[in-house]
Amino acid sequence: MISMIFACDQQGAIGKNGDLPWRQSTDLQHFKRITLNKTIVMGRKTWDSLGKALPSRRNIVMSRKGVEGIESMTFEQVLELAENEEVVIIGGGEIYALFLEHAKEIHRTIIHTCVEHADTFAPEIDDVIFYLLSEKQLEPSDRDDHAMTFQHWIS
C-alpha cells in the first residue's frame, strides 16, 4: 500500500529554497508517529534537505542519478515493494505527483499561513477519488509557528 504524508500552507506550498518554510514541532511529532517503523520514500532533494537517514525507518531515495550511501529504487521498484508492505511517500513535489494516483491514504497537515515565493507544491487532492476520513484543528504550541489542521484522506 502506498501512503503519502505532507504539510502544506493554505495554498498548497510545501517548500521554499529547499527547506520547509515553517517550524512546526507538533507536525514533526505527527510525521514521526505516522512513519515510524515503516518504509519511507523520498526524492533526492528531500534527502539532501534531511541530511541523514531518519531513524527506525527504512529510507529509500528515488533519483535519476542514484545517491551514494543510501538505498535507491526506481518508481517501478517502489510500486512492487508496496504490493507487500506499506510505503510512505514523504516528498518532494515531483515524487508526490508521481505516486498520487497509486496512493490509498494521505496524511495532510494544513499549516495556517501563506508562504510568499514558495517553489514546491503538494498535489491537489481530488475529493472524488479521496474521502476525508478525519480532520483535527490545533492551535500552535510554543514550539510551532502557526496553527494547523491534521487531515486523513483515504481512497
Side-chain angles (χ1 to χ4, degrees):
M1 178 178 89
I2 292 181
S3 300
M4 301 172 90
I5 186 167
F6 59 85
C8 62
D9 76 356
Q10 293 167 308
Q11 298 173 325
I14 61 172
K16 180 178 177 179
N17 301 325
D19 202 3
L20 294 173
W22 45 70
R23 294 292 163 242
Q24 296 289 125
S25 179
T26 303
D27 184 55
L28 291 176
Q29 292 166 9
H30 176 70
F31 175 89
K32 184 176 181 178
R33 265 192 316 277
I34 300 295
T35 62
L36 208 57
N37 300 315
K38 295 180 182 169
T39 298
I40 56 174
V41 173
M42 68 200 88
R44 185 204 39 85
K45 292 176 189 174
T46 299
W47 167 251
D48 289 346
S49 75
L50 292 175
K52 63 178 180 169
L54 296 178
S56 302
R57 285 156 272 209
R58 179 180 178 189
N59 290 249
I60 297 173
V61 176
M62 288 181 52
S63 173
R64 292 177 192 93
K65 300 176 185 174
V67 179
E68 188 90 17
I70 187 74
E71 185 177 6
S72 295
M73 284 189 181
T74 65
F75 174 73
E76 291 78 16
Q77 289 171 319
V78 172
L79 289 179
E80 189 175 313
L81 180 65
E83 291 175 11
N84 300 312
E85 65 181 86
E86 183 178 1
V87 173
V88 184
I89 308 301
I90 68 164
E94 291 178 34
I95 304 299
Y96 288 130
L98 202 58
F99 284 100
L100 182 63
E101 70 180 86
H102 302 281
K104 299 292 180 218
E105 187 173 41
I106 299 174
H107 297 273
R108 173 170 72 175
T109 302
I110 300 172
I111 308 298
H112 295 246
T113 189
C114 292
V115 176
E116 289 188 29
H117 310 295
D119 53 24
T120 310
F121 293 86
E124 296 261 339
I125 297 175
D126 185 338
D127 62 6
V128 172
I129 298 171
F130 291 94
Y131 169 77
L132 182 58
L133 186 63
S134 66
E135 182 173 71
K136 181 179 180 181
Q137 295 186 6
L138 296 159
E139 290 303 314
S141 75
D142 58 352
R143 297 176 59 199
D144 297 322
D145 290 345
H146 310 282
M148 69 206 92
T149 302
F150 291 146
Q151 294 182 330
H152 185 188
W153 296 79
I154 58 171
S155 67

